[in-house]
Amino acid sequence: MNKLVEICEAKRHHVQARKAAVSIADLEAQARERSAPRGFRSALDAKTAAGEYGLIAEVKKASPSKGLIRADFDPPAHARAYQAGGAACLSVLTDAPYFQGADAYLGAARDAVSLPCLRKDFIVDPWQVAESRALGADAILIIVAALEDAEMADIEAAAIEHGMDALVEVHDAAELERALRLRSRLIGVNNRDLRDFTVDFARTYDLVGLAPEGCTFVAESGLGAKPDLDAMAAHGVRCFLVGESLMRQADVEAATRRLLFGA
């Protein structure tokens, strides 16, 4: 069993338990109390239209492959540092068993800034989309490798219904082909294979040329310095999701600015 299958099986069991405890009606009521979704993709596109890089900066405490990443973990403080450093959006890990995340981290980070926020979790059921909006998320993640086509379509439909963006994550050409059957044109290429956690930038280089016009491409995982971003930009990718390399820095704001602007 690879790690992605293991995580998603655990998540499905968790979601079933949560659905028995919290009704969709309750979630929808909570979602209505939240401020309107902030445009996630539009924030990235605005940065690139201005000639800058569109950075999704990740609020991340730990990972299965690296363990604890930051001991003095403070989501609101990290969110403010990312915004001050020039990030376009935030990604907040909420998965607890594998990433030491928590649902509360999302609202705490979002309330501290004006940036749109992605709920970084393993979404396996449309119920989680309503839950994500109730938590304050502006966007959700759809991992193609984890879902059947019908599941992806149902999750995307729920996101659209709630006014949220969906970042559709792929690893190879076959997954990209499946992703493009959806309406969303915000495509993330994960350079890290979630089955064994190896990283290869060629995943992004190979796939960006296969997509039609009008896609916003996001390179994910393994990016740590401005030359990495510049190399991606040379292949036509100007949006990035970066977490671990920034979360390990003492001065997150300065590290974010250095990543984006080299100064």
Side-chain angles (χ1 to χ4, degrees):
M1 180 186 296
N2 67 50
K3 183 59 72 171
L4 179 60
V5 171
E6 175 191 329
I7 292 172
C8 288
E9 284 193 2
K11 185 63 63 174
R12 290 179 194 280
H13 288 298
H14 171 76
V15 171
Q16 287 305 312
R18 290 287 295 152
K19 288 172 74 173
V22 182
S23 73
I24 190 71
D26 286 342
L27 288 179
E28 296 291 2
Q30 294 171 36
R32 286 191 292 272
E33 295 176 0
R34 287 288 181 178
S35 60
R38 302 166 183 169
F40 191 88
R41 182 186 177 187
S42 62
L44 293 172
D45 290 345
K47 286 285 189 180
T48 59
E52 299 181 20
Y53 289 146
L55 174 65
I56 306 169
E58 193 152 84
V59 178
K60 181 178 185 178
K61 184 177 183 180
S63 78
S65 59
K66 301 295 180 64
L68 183 66
I69 293 170
R70 191 174 188 105
D72 60 332
F73 188 67
D74 185 341
H78 303 326
R80 287 189 290 268
Y82 280 146
Q83 178 168 272
C89 303
L90 298 181
S91 168
V92 183
L93 263 297
T94 58
D95 177 77
Y98 294 91
F99 290 86
Q100 297 183 38
D103 291 346
Y105 295 161
L106 177 62
R110 187 180 189 269
D111 289 346
V113 295
S114 61
L115 303 181
C117 295
L118 169 78
R119 184 190 186 188
K120 186 73 173 293
D121 211 315
F122 297 85
I123 306 298
V124 296
D125 189 298
W127 182 92
Q128 291 170 278
V129 178
E131 180 188 50
S132 299
R133 185 81 275 270
L135 293 171
D138 305 291
I140 52 101
L141 180 68
I142 295 176
I143 303 175
V144 174
L147 301 164
E148 301 295 332
D149 285 2
E151 292 174 317
M152 291 195 299
D154 288 345
I155 290 168
E156 181 192 46
I160 292 170
E161 181 181 345
H162 286 85
M164 304 166 72
D165 287 306
L167 175 61
V168 186
E169 181 177 292
V170 303
H171 297 84
D172 57 34
E175 290 181 8
L176 177 60
E177 182 180 351
R178 293 178 58 211
L180 292 174
R181 296 172 193 159
L182 298 174
R183 293 169 57 185
S184 300
R185 287 296 176 263
L186 177 60
I187 307 294
V189 180
N190 197 335
N191 298 307
R192 176 173 289 112
D193 189 328
L194 291 180
R195 293 167 295 191
D196 58 17
F197 294 106
T198 56
V199 173
D200 185 356
F201 285 176
R203 295 183 196 280
T204 299
Y205 298 160
D206 292 344
L207 294 184
V208 66
L210 301 179
E213 290 287 328
C215 288
T216 300
F217 254 82
V218 179
E220 307 172 9
S221 297
L223 302 160
K226 189 170 185 293
D228 296 334
L229 274 55
D230 294 341
M232 287 288 173
H235 287 80
V237 181
R238 299 187 61 83
C239 295
F240 313 96
L241 190 152
V242 181
E244 180 183 335
S245 63
L246 293 174
M247 291 299 297
R248 290 189 183 280
Q249 303 303 310
D251 188 333
V252 174
E253 178 183 339
T256 303
R257 190 175 294 111
R258 197 161 51 245
L259 175 70
L260 287 170
F261 307 109

